[in-house]
Amino acid sequence: MDKTVTILGIETSCDETAAAVVRNGKEILSSVVASQVKIHEKYGGVVPEIASRAHLEKILPVVREAMEQAHVGPEDLSAVAIANQPGLSIALMVGVTAAKTLAFGWNKPLVAINHLHAHLQSALISAEHIELPAIALIVSGGHTSLYEAQSALELKLLGSTIDDAAGEAFDKVATILNLPYPGGPNIEKTARQGNPRAIDFPRSLLDGQSLDFSFSGLKTAVLYYCQGQDMSGQNRVATMSPQEIADVAASFQQAVIDTLVIKTRRAAKQIGAKTVLMGGGVAANSTLREAMQVMCDKHRLTLLVAPKSLCTDNAAMVASLAYYKYQAGQFAGLDLEPLATS
Ligand code: KG4
Ligand code: ZN
């Protein structure tokens, strides 16, 4: 009996239209991502209606390209998988409708995937073995959460942000510093020239045993630093030297990283974890990756982190996770709806 399971995954939860074909959960035959960064750049953030329209234009060409690059036709597919939650409703709706239509037309089972779980799966794609229990950190533009992972499919939420997500804070601070959108990669680039100890920005919720995060106070501290306490002053950024801007970027980035690393260590200690998983757009940040590795080495934890190419939104993580749901017989009906929350 042929045991090969080939899954087409689709992702439209925010501003990337993506499709991928993955074999047996591990072998990425294709991964196509049409980014909308250029479209949303001038607004400084994602505009849901514009994102939805762009998904509509791109979804079928992107699916076709993923199938062509993988050299597969509909007859080779075992299932169609879709990230149907969480995300922007009208963006998710495009992918969900496309996936349901393709599954129906090709007579394939449909697999519904949680976008956040898929981010963690991207840390597991190339892992041979995972020692449990594991702590899983998702750091993206929409989420900053810690989970206890019993398996790729079983996650227990331990803590999450009570205000801004880490990626959101990167994007907002980039706007304050007049750096281009998307903020994360540009803050990282600018921070390379700066001193991370130059300004002592606050690290929130570090007291006690809390596993929740808060980044809005940090963002406000950066704003005050740049515009003065009463916000009446001119934004000084225009008159700051490149070195001062780099120092602000580096000090802000360090405050976020310290918080993420301390909370992950705290969570790992609380559950006696052996492994740390990390995924999501902010996990592409090299300084964060290095700091998390240092912490894990110190405390004898194995760090499994998504390859940089799979940190930001993509459909390979969707098709990969779908393999395990397929094997467990967990299928969705054609009445599947998008869900904005997780
Ligand atoms: O996972 P993702 O593509 O989308 C969501 O599910 O939210 O994450 C996007 C977020 C954005 O906020 C972006 O600024 C941030 O990830 N990001 C980074 C880096 N690359 C992307 N943040 C810090 N450093 C980076 N290198
Ligand atoms: Zn994401």
Side-chain angles (χ1 to χ4, degrees), residues 175 186 192 209:
T175 306
N186 286 304
R192 267 187 221 128
Q209 289 303 303

Side-chain angles (χ1 to χ4, degrees), residues 10-31:
I10 296 175
E11 155 66 45
T12 62
S13 67
C14 190
D15 60 342
E16 326 278 3
T17 317
V21 179
V22 176
R23 191 174 282 159
N24 295 336
K26 297 267 178 207
E27 201 186 335
I28 302 173
L29 303 184
S30 65
S31 178

Side-chain angles (χ1 to χ4, degrees), residues 228-309:
Q229 283 290 341
D230 59 2
M231 304 278 293
S232 61
Q234 289 286 318
N235 187 337
R236 294 196 302 117
V237 173
T239 57
M240 278 183 190
S241 69
Q243 186 57 54
E244 200 177 351
I245 290 176
D247 284 348
V248 175
S251 300
F252 158 77
Q253 178 176 271
Q254 195 58 47
V256 175
I257 291 173
D258 285 351
T259 310
L260 293 172
V261 171
I262 288 169
K263 297 265 169 166
T264 305
R265 156 73 184 130
R266 181 180 290 173
K269 197 172 168 199
Q270 281 181 17
I271 68 149
K274 303 247 186 320
T275 306
V276 170
L277 308 176
M278 183 166 74
V282 182
N285 186 288
S286 301
T287 315
L288 169 61
R289 295 165 84 93
E290 282 157 23
M292 198 61 83
Q293 188 65 62
V294 168
M295 183 280 284
C296 286
D297 289 348
K298 189 167 165 204
H299 297 286
R300 294 190 187 165
L301 295 158
T302 304
L303 176 64
L304 297 176
V305 52
K308 282 190 184 183
S309 59

Side-chain angles (χ1 to χ4, degrees), residues 22-334:
V22 176
R23 191 174 282 159
N24 295 336
K26 297 267 178 207
E27 201 186 335
I28 302 173
L29 303 184
S30 65
S31 178
V32 178
V33 181
S35 169
Q36 300 176 10
V37 164
K38 286 268 162 286
I39 303 173
H40 298 287
E41 203 170 23
K42 58 177 171 289
Y43 305 103
V46 179
V47 184
E49 288 77 9
I50 296 175
S52 180
R53 181 173 286 265
H55 285 311
L56 210 51
E57 280 167 16
K58 287 282 179 198
I59 187 75
L60 289 180
V62 163
V63 166
R64 197 172 294 128
E65 199 181 326
M67 302 275 285
E68 276 173 15
Q69 281 186 19
H71 301 293
V72 298
E75 65 284 0
D76 301 309
L77 295 179
S78 314
V80 177
I82 174 68
N84 73 311
Q85 71 176 111
L88 304 168
S89 293
I90 58 173
L92 289 165
M93 178 63 88
V94 178
V96 169
T97 307
K100 288 199 291 194
T101 309
L102 293 174
F104 178 72
W106 293 339
N107 197 22
K108 304 289 172 187
L110 182 68
V111 182
I113 292 294
N114 181 305
H115 176 88
L116 299 179
H117 295 193
H119 268 306
L120 289 181
Q121 179 59 23
S122 60
L124 291 170
I125 288 184
S126 43
E128 289 301 324
H129 170 72
I130 157 168
E131 248 193 300
L132 296 167
I135 281 296
L137 173 68
I138 297 177
V139 260
S140 72
H143 295 85
T144 303
S145 309
L146 278 165
Y147 297 86
E148 177 175 349
Q150 274 99 16
S151 75
L153 297 179
E154 291 165 275
L155 298 175
K156 182 175 150 209
L157 185 65
L158 300 177
S160 62
T161 182
I162 58 168
D163 40 54
D164 293 350
E168 197 179 351
F170 267 92
D171 294 337
K172 287 177 177 167
V173 166
T175 306
I176 297 170
L177 294 178
N178 291 336
L179 297 174
Y181 172 85
N186 286 304
I187 294 257
E188 176 174 13
K189 206 165 126 202
T190 308
R192 267 187 221 128
Q193 317 304 324
N195 172 6
R197 306 283 162 214
I199 306 144
D200 188 19
F201 287 131
R203 278 91 171 135
S204 297
L205 296 180
L206 290 184
D207 296 338
Q209 289 303 303
S210 167
L211 297 177
D212 287 330
F213 299 91
S214 166
F215 293 107
S216 116
L218 170 60
K219 173 196 67 190
T220 308
V222 175
L223 192 65
Y224 283 168
Y225 183 85
C226 295
Q227 299 199 353
Q229 283 290 341
D230 59 2
M231 304 278 293
S232 61
Q234 289 286 318
N235 187 337
R236 294 196 302 117
V237 173
T239 57
M240 278 183 190
S241 69
Q243 186 57 54
E244 200 177 351
I245 290 176
D247 284 348
V248 175
S251 300
F252 158 77
Q253 178 176 271
Q254 195 58 47
V256 175
I257 291 173
D258 285 351
T259 310
L260 293 172
V261 171
I262 288 169
K263 297 265 169 166
T264 305
R265 156 73 184 130
R266 181 180 290 173
K269 197 172 168 199
Q270 281 181 17
I271 68 149
K274 303 247 186 320
T275 306
V276 170
L277 308 176
M278 183 166 74
V282 182
N285 186 288
S286 301
T287 315
L288 169 61
R289 295 165 84 93
E290 282 157 23
M292 198 61 83
Q293 188 65 62
V294 168
M295 183 280 284
C296 286
D297 289 348
K298 189 167 165 204
H299 297 286
R300 294 190 187 165
L301 295 158
T302 304
L303 176 64
L304 297 176
V305 52
K308 282 190 184 183
S309 59
L310 295 182
C311 280
T312 45
D313 289 349
N314 65 86
M317 63 186 191
V318 174
S320 172
L321 183 57
Y323 170 75
Y324 300 93
K325 286 194 114 177
Y326 179 93
Q327 296 291 41
Q330 295 176 9
F331 299 111
L334 289 176

